[in-house]
Amino acid sequence: HVAGVDHERLTDQLRFVLEVDKLKRILRRNTLVDGSRRENDAEHSWHVALAARVFAEYAPKGTDIDRVVEMLLLHDIVEIDAGDTFVYDTELAQTQFKRESEAADRLYALLPKDQAEHARGLWEEFEARTTPEARFAKAIDRLAPMLANWHNEGGTWVTHRVSAAQVREKVAMVAEGSATLGAYATALINDAVGRGYLAP
Amino acid sequence: HVAGVDHERLTDQLRFVLEVDKLKRILRRNTLVDGSRRENDAEHSWHVALAARVFAEYAPKGTDIDRVVEMLLLHDIVEIDAGDTFVYDTELAQTQFKRESEAADRLYALLPKDQAEHARGLWEEFEARTTPEARFAKAIDRLAPMLANWHNEGGTWVTHRVSAAQVREKVAMVAEGSATLGAYATALINDAVGRGYLAP
Ligand SMILES: [Ca+2]
């Protein structure tokens, strides 16, 4: 017991912090930049949150980067229940929204009500891409695996026979969030096609 | 080439983002909350950045939580070169500052100058604990492995025969950053002693 503290509130917060530890065991399709093993969602979330800060100057003027970082720290938590959905898996994508909504219902609700609503709101904003913050967060989230794949001679693009057209759809999402990073991603993909990493 | 962009600056930023990927391969002594494997520095950094937000209300009034989060995202990057120093390893602790300073010289300097100075400044502030932000960041950083160890029947406390007195030194750092979290950590450690997880 801690004096002067809403004990139930603190216990809920602690339970949430302990529960989201499971994100460290959710594996993504892409590998680390050195190709040594698959990346997990927690370390990915750290990497994109940091990258959002480093690339902040390429967000549209007025974008609140603190909000972008907060969104990126929270954006994958639903995958604790829903699992990772490979961005090029069209079959799984059909059930993704339902699976992730149910996961959000359980996971964010572990927090005290005010914090739960705030966190879930940020996640929904991220998924809907209705604000500059959400579009920039999504741009960074899409750019990161492109960098890793490019540095791994194609990485999961090669393993899963991804085509240039499929990646260009994701590049469009990068461009929606940041003109500069979108142009960079386009140049990267053109180079990857030239190197034979992607089916043309 | 991307039109209208300082190409050298963007390249430096990309190089930094790719280089810090190595933090995912630096293992800490403590395990995940489920005890299944050792935790790496990148997923740890994500976890504490998120926890800082969840526990924000327990920071002293006026603490800038966005700055705390930024500090926590950056705080372990020096360990890419310097390695993890177990907080109870007194021998390694003697060379820690020198090793980490040299690491900071190399790693933060990969960024463009303005960003390099900003990042290094935040890391130095974190280590010196001269601001409420640094003290709160350090409190969260120290609290996290206590929670994991407590949930693992003592975890690394048992493996490395850590005493209650040693952990109480770290609890003091939690209390310096947050009175509430310090009181919670004290209660947790008393409980751990009662359960025999720590030598009294
Ligand atoms: Ca450390």
Side-chain angles (χ1 to χ4, degrees):
Chain A
H1 186 79
V2 178
V5 167
D6 179 341
H7 210 254
E8 197 186 317
R9 185 172 169 89
L10 179 56
T11 303
D12 287 347
Q13 291 163 330
L14 280 159
R15 222 187 319 245
F16 175 79
V17 167
L18 289 166
E19 177 70 12
V20 299
D21 197 82
K22 293 178 182 166
L23 199 60
K24 298 169 188 170
R25 292 186 287 147
I26 307 296
L27 296 182
R28 296 160 50 81
R29 292 298 178 99
N30 64 277
T31 64
L32 303 191
V33 170
D34 74 352
S36 59
R37 62 164 172 82
R38 283 169 69 183
E39 187 185 35
N40 72 57
D41 267 347
E43 62 198 4
H44 159 73
S45 297
W46 164 76
H47 207 180
V48 290
L50 184 64
R53 259 210 190 288
V54 171
F55 295 132
E57 66 202 79
Y58 308 120
K61 256 196 190 60
T63 305
D64 178 350
I65 295 294
D66 293 322
R67 193 175 170 82
V68 171
V69 169
E70 195 179 355
M71 225 175 256
L72 286 169
L73 291 175
L74 287 167
H75 82 291
D76 269 342
I77 283 176
V78 291
E79 297 191 1
I80 289 172
D81 287 358
D84 176 55
T85 304
F86 187 44
V87 287
Y88 301 110
D89 187 330
T90 46
E91 221 171 289
L92 261 181
Q94 289 175 7
T95 59
Q96 185 176 8
F97 181 75
K98 187 171 180 293
R99 284 181 291 115
E100 294 193 348
S101 294
E102 285 167 5
D105 288 344
R106 183 182 83 80
L107 288 156
Y108 295 123
L110 295 172
L111 285 166
K113 196 161 181 291
D114 57 316
Q115 291 186 308
E117 282 171 6
H118 176 72
R120 191 181 176 134
L122 279 174
W123 173 69
E124 288 178 352
E125 184 182 327
F126 173 79
E127 288 299 330
R129 289 184 288 131
T130 44
T131 60
E133 284 76 19
R135 286 189 290 270
F136 189 66
K138 193 63 109 175
I140 300 288
D141 191 44
R142 289 290 180 249
L143 180 63
M146 290 179 199
L147 293 174
N149 279 336
W150 189 86
H151 275 263
N152 280 301
E153 300 178 351
T156 44
W157 292 331
V158 175
T159 329
H160 299 282
R161 300 169 197 274
V162 176
S163 72
Q166 285 177 297
V167 181
R168 286 205 168 94
E169 273 179 53
K170 309 305 167 190
V171 169
M173 274 196 207
V174 179
E176 268 178 45
S178 163
T180 302
L181 296 180
Y184 179 81
T186 301
L188 194 80
I189 297 318
N190 290 341
D191 185 73
V193 172
R195 288 171 192 263
Y197 297 167
L198 284 162
Chain B
H1 185 78
V2 177
V5 167
D6 180 340
H7 209 254
E8 198 186 318
R9 185 171 170 88
L10 178 56
T11 303
D12 287 348
Q13 290 163 330
L14 280 160
R15 221 185 322 244
F16 175 80
V17 167
L18 288 166
E19 178 70 13
V20 298
D21 197 81
K22 293 177 181 165
L23 199 60
K24 300 169 188 170
R25 292 186 288 149
I26 308 296
L27 295 183
R28 295 162 49 83
R29 291 298 177 101
N30 64 276
T31 64
L32 303 191
V33 170
D34 73 352
S36 59
R37 63 164 172 82
R38 284 169 70 184
E39 187 184 35
N40 73 58
D41 266 348
E43 61 197 5
H44 159 74
S45 298
W46 163 76
H47 207 181
V48 290
L50 184 64
R53 251 200 199 293
V54 171
F55 296 133
E57 66 202 79
Y58 309 119
K61 258 196 188 58
T63 305
D64 179 350
I65 296 294
D66 293 323
R67 193 175 170 82
V68 171
V69 169
E70 196 179 356
M71 225 175 255
L72 286 168
L73 291 175
L74 287 167
H75 82 292
D76 268 343
I77 283 175
V78 291
E79 298 190 4
I80 288 171
D81 286 358
D84 176 56
T85 305
F86 187 44
V87 288
Y88 301 110
D89 186 330
T90 46
E91 222 171 287
L92 260 183
Q94 287 175 10
T95 59
Q96 185 176 7
F97 181 74
K98 189 171 178 292
R99 284 182 291 114
E100 293 193 347
S101 295
E102 285 167 5
D105 289 343
R106 183 182 83 80
L107 287 156
Y108 294 125
L110 295 172
L111 285 166
K113 196 159 181 291
D114 57 315
Q115 291 186 306
E117 282 170 6
H118 175 72
R120 190 180 177 133
L122 279 173
W123 173 69
E124 288 177 353
E125 183 181 327
F126 173 79
E127 288 300 329
R129 289 184 286 130
T130 45
T131 59
E133 284 76 20
R135 287 189 290 272
F136 189 65
K138 193 63 108 174
I140 300 289
D141 192 42
R142 288 289 180 251
L143 180 62
M146 289 180 199
L147 293 174
N149 279 337
W150 189 86
H151 275 264
N152 280 302
E153 299 178 350
T156 44
W157 292 331
V158 175
T159 330
H160 299 282
R161 298 170 198 276
V162 175
S163 73
Q166 285 177 296
V167 180
R168 285 206 168 91
E169 273 180 53
K170 308 306 167 191
V171 168
M173 275 198 208
V174 179
E176 268 179 45
S178 163
T180 303
L181 296 179
Y184 180 81
T186 301
L188 194 79
I189 298 316
N190 290 342
D191 185 73
V193 172
R195 290 171 192 262
Y197 298 166
L198 284 161

